[in-house]
Amino acid sequence: MTSTHAIQPLPSPSGVRISIDELDPTDPNGVIATWLAALKTLKANSNFNDEMSYFRLAGTYLSNKYIAQLTQWKPFTNALYNVIPDSDKNKASFRIPYWDWAKNDQGSIATPLPLLLQSQFWPLNSSTENPLWRFVNPKVYDANTGTGKAEDLHPYPFGDVEMGQYVIGNDLISNGSTSLWSVTTSTSRCVLPGSQEFVNGNNRMDLLMTNFKNAGWYNNAHTPDIPPYKTISDYVHVLLSRQYTSFNSFATTAYDPVPDANDPNRYGWLSLEYLHNNLHNWIGGPVPSQIGHMNDVPVAAFDPIFWLHHAFIDALFATATEPLKPFHTDTSGTLFTSNNVKQTKDWNYSYSAFPTTSGRQKDLIMMINRKYGNGMQHVVGRAIKDGVPGAKNDYIINVLHALDQAYKIHFFLGEIEANIADSNLMAHPNHVGSIYTFSNSGRSRCSNCSNQKALNKLSRAQILLTVPLIHHHREGFLAHLNPKGDGGVQEYLKKSLTWRVVKRDGTDVPVKDNPNLSDLKIILAQGKADHFPEDDTRLSVFHGDSYNTFWQGSYPGQDSEPPESYIIKNLQGGGWMYKD
């Protein structure tokens, strides 16, 4: 029988969530030890009728809409808290840590993951498996019937009939192979589809690290006097610098054909969900050469790293009004909504690195600049200081696309050889950004994916071009950063920008005259921005009303499509919007 659990805010006084790499993982009495022990207990629960078992938490999490998932993190944390024994001295102040995958790390991109997330065994040099390494099905069978010895106990495949109503069905991984999630007994990251590693569960950390390094999107090794940085930091910096006025525009990729006319960033198609999606791709691994549970919507939350990833999403803030199954405010079955959980203070926790309390706005701005501003602030700021013509211009690619299939779109400034495999595209020197839809195109229990497809929902994303263009100017390919004139950016982009659409099976999708990509629209725009690299107390300013489209189309080399054919002009904002 399924039980109903009442989830309450964590006890007072308010606790602090700290980044995982700021905690001592070797302290046997520290927060990490408490957390790993609780996670181990939660994962070991094989009673899947219990809504608070790890299996049920992971499975039901993904049945909610993305908006709900952003805030559902809070009650999940409390479910973890409930399994900590009262005798643990850390229980009263325990708050789950988070993984900041975007901070500059003093400019290094060599080790994007903390040691705790890289290690199969913890403590190091022990034979104890790290609870963060994978989730193994706790339902087991005795290979030598009746012995009961640990070495004779083996986990059932998630698709075995013994899983009953909770079986993970024969859903094809969306990569064109015959591999099935149902045959797996454990989660994995970046393994070969269909291999024994895929079945038994393993993590290829060497490949995962390479994915992160390749996804530097555009590192600035060409400018030795400016520290290297992860471009993902740049994107977070821009996201947090813009003054969003609506949840939708900040948090989700959902396209709104009639945005709020008073939203100064209605032209800004960068969102928290867009950044979130790319992390799933890098951690799971680019199909078809790699696959992992994080890469596919219906099973992503089974990987323990999912919750650290979403803890950081929670730190970056989200709020909405969606029911949050299976969490209840009382034992009568009243469901939480995101309105119940939108304020971290109401749940008695805060983030050490995010000073959001009243009167600390200056501290928050300084944190944003120091953690994430190493790219946009300093590269563009240096160009302005050096007198590069047009350096205050900001260039972006806005992308409109459908959600009816899982694919990636890779963008390049310059030529890209036709025979390069999808898994190597992000490492190409001309690569400037990618979009990963994080959808599911096969048979799936992802009801949200199915609903989005049925409603013909469109998504939006944004690629930042200013920093790559500055490097192209420094390397002599681009005369200046003014939009027009001899050697101007507009003509340069029309001539040099190209893109490839790749399905999850690794095959290219033709972008010209392809009815399956009829909703794909690439929109190039230019606006104005101010940056303050020498003043940590000031955020970059992106002047939303200054942006104007100078090209739009569906395939490289195309003459710009007439706006009236599918675009209506927002005269107040200077932006283009898809005609519904």
Side-chain angles (χ1 to χ4, degrees):
M1 180 179 178
T2 300
S3 55
T4 297
H5 297 261
I7 298 294
Q8 300 297 328
L10 294 172
S12 296
S14 181
V16 177
R17 283 185 177 163
I18 302 173
S19 176
I20 188 174
D21 55 4
E22 295 176 9
L23 293 166
D24 181 4
T26 64
D27 182 356
N29 300 310
V31 171
I32 294 290
T34 295
W35 174 43
L36 294 182
L39 185 58
K40 183 177 181 179
T41 300
L42 201 65
K43 289 167 55 183
N45 186 353
S46 60
N47 176 16
F48 295 161
N49 287 324
D50 183 356
E51 290 179 332
M52 296 298 106
S53 67
Y54 185 92
F55 183 89
R56 287 289 302 279
L57 287 168
T60 54
Y61 187 95
L62 288 164
S63 68
N64 287 302
K65 295 180 181 179
Y66 170 77
I67 292 175
Q69 292 175 12
L70 287 172
T71 46
Q72 189 180 17
W73 171 252
K74 297 176 178 66
F76 170 84
T77 301
N78 291 26
L80 186 68
Y81 174 88
N82 287 342
V83 301
I84 300 174
D86 293 337
S87 59
D88 191 315
K89 67 179 183 64
N90 294 317
K91 182 167 185 175
S93 60
F94 174 79
R95 305 295 185 267
I96 193 170
Y98 64 95
W99 167 38
D100 185 345
W101 36 255
K103 70 175 186 175
N104 288 318
D105 283 335
Q106 291 75 50
S108 172
I109 61 172
T111 55
L113 284 113
L115 182 61
L116 182 61
L117 297 182
Q118 300 178 38
S119 307
Q120 181 175 4
F121 300 101
W122 200 267
L124 292 175
N125 302 317
S126 75
S127 58
T128 302
E129 183 158 296
N130 183 351
L132 293 169
W133 183 251
R134 59 181 177 172
F135 170 60
V136 180
N137 190 354
K139 278 192 178 296
V140 297
Y141 64 93
D142 193 334
N144 287 323
T145 305
T147 67
K149 295 180 179 179
E151 60 267 26
D152 291 333
L153 298 179
H154 298 277
Y156 281 108
F158 288 117
D160 195 280
V161 293
E162 290 293 329
M163 297 294 289
Q165 63 176 313
Y166 302 115
V167 64
I168 294 180
N170 291 330
D171 293 341
L172 281 172
I173 297 174
S174 308
N175 69 343
S177 76
T178 57
S179 300
L180 303 170
W181 290 124
S182 59
V183 305
T184 63
T185 61
S186 171
T187 59
S188 56
R189 301 170 198 152
C190 305
V191 297
L192 182 67
S195 65
Q196 201 59 44
E197 283 187 314
F198 168 77
V199 173
N200 295 338
N202 190 30
N203 298 329
R204 287 291 307 274
M205 297 308 299
D206 55 333
L207 297 178
L208 192 154
M209 297 290 236
T210 298
N211 293 342
F212 268 80
K213 291 163 70 175
N214 288 346
W217 289 0
Y218 201 93
N219 68 61
N220 66 337
H222 309 283
T223 313
D225 54 340
I226 298 175
Y229 62 95
K230 299 181 223 173
T231 316
I232 193 69
S233 302
D234 238 6
Y235 278 65
V236 171
H237 181 259
V238 172
L239 182 71
L240 297 180
S241 295
R242 290 175 174 162
Q243 298 299 310
Y244 290 88
T245 61
S246 72
F247 168 82
N248 185 72
S249 59
F250 170 77
T252 81
T253 60
Y255 174 70
D256 181 1
V258 188
D260 181 358
N262 296 316
D263 184 353
N265 284 294
R266 56 194 169 279
Y267 207 85
W269 287 8
L270 181 62
S271 69
L272 187 57
E273 184 181 9
Y274 162 66
L275 301 181
H276 152 275
N277 291 353
N278 282 283
L279 267 291
H280 277 273
N281 183 39
W282 305 338
I283 296 169
V287 176
S289 60
Q290 303 170 30
I291 190 62
H293 286 68
M294 278 285 282
N295 196 297
D296 217 15
V297 175
V299 294
F302 289 102
D303 188 331
I305 203 172
F306 174 97
W307 304 99
L308 278 169
H309 170 37
H310 275 251
F312 184 50
I313 297 297
D314 178 68
L316 294 175
F317 174 77
T319 182
T321 54
E322 294 288 337
L324 296 177
K325 299 176 182 179
F327 303 105
H328 304 88
T329 61
D330 51 47
T331 56
S332 299
T334 305
L335 287 173
F336 271 104
T337 70
S338 291
N339 276 343
N340 300 128
V341 294
K342 64 183 180 179
Q343 297 294 333
T344 60
K345 64 181 178 60
D346 294 338
W347 285 75
N348 290 327
Y349 73 89
S350 61
Y351 287 94
S352 61
F354 292 79
T356 56
T357 54
S358 177
R360 298 194 63 191
Q361 185 177 15
K362 183 177 179 180
D363 293 336
L364 179 62
I365 291 173
M366 292 173 66
M367 181 281 297
I368 293 171
N369 283 327
R370 292 173 183 178
K371 275 184 174 285
Y372 313 113
N374 212 25
M376 183 69 77
Q377 280 273 41
H378 289 273
V379 175
V380 182
R382 174 63 182 272
I384 294 172
K385 185 177 181 180
D386 290 347
V388 174
K392 285 193 173 184
N393 290 313
D394 185 52
Y395 293 92
I396 56 176
I397 307 172
N398 274 349
V399 182
L400 192 69
H401 61 90
L403 270 178
D404 59 348
Q405 57 180 319
Y407 55 79
K408 289 165 277 188
I409 309 174
H410 301 289
F411 290 88
F412 306 88
L413 270 182
E415 294 183 359
I416 177 70
E417 298 81 357
N419 60 348
I420 295 181
D422 172 52
S423 57
N424 297 322
L425 287 175
M426 289 194 302
H428 195 280
N430 291 337
H431 180 254
V432 294
S434 294
I435 294 168
Y436 177 59
T437 62
F438 194 48
S439 183
N440 186 284
S441 57
R443 294 169 294 169
S444 169
R445 291 190 176 189
C446 174
S447 59
N448 187 37
C449 302
S450 302
N451 293 338
Q452 296 273 359
K453 179 177 179 179
L455 294 172
N456 194 30
K457 291 288 187 178
L458 299 175
S459 284
R460 57 189 174 84
Q462 188 172 98
I463 303 295
L464 307 178
L465 282 178
T466 304
V467 170
L469 288 170
I470 287 174
H471 288 306
H472 278 233
H473 166 74
R474 293 189 183 279
E475 293 165 4
F477 298 113
L478 180 61
H480 54 76
L481 267 75
N482 287 317
K484 297 181 179 180
D486 187 24
V489 172
Q490 291 189 10
E491 291 306 313
Y492 183 73
L493 288 175
K494 292 176 187 178
K495 177 180 66 175
S496 303
L497 184 69
T498 188
W499 52 93
R500 281 174 60 174
V501 180
V502 184
K503 292 194 298 186
R504 292 195 66 195
D505 63 3
T507 59
D508 279 14
V509 180
V511 294
K512 185 176 181 179
D513 301 326
N514 187 339
N516 292 325
L517 291 178
S518 59
D519 289 314
L520 177 64
K521 302 299 176 187
I522 310 299
I523 302 169
L524 303 183
Q526 170 258 327
K528 294 288 185 181
D530 294 311
H531 306 280
F532 312 98
E534 298 178 359
D535 187 353
D536 278 346
T537 66
R538 301 180 69 183
L539 286 174
S540 296
V541 178
F542 299 89
H543 302 282
D545 287 342
S546 69
Y547 286 83
N548 285 285
T549 296
F550 58 86
W551 185 90
Q552 57 221 354
S554 301
Y555 58 90
Q558 177 184 4
D559 290 337
S560 185
E561 296 179 348
E564 58 272 15
S565 65
Y566 62 91
I567 298 286
I568 57 174
K569 183 74 182 295
N570 175 8
L571 297 175
Q572 290 180 305
W576 300 97
M577 281 158 287
Y578 192 81
K579 189 173 183 180
D580 203 16

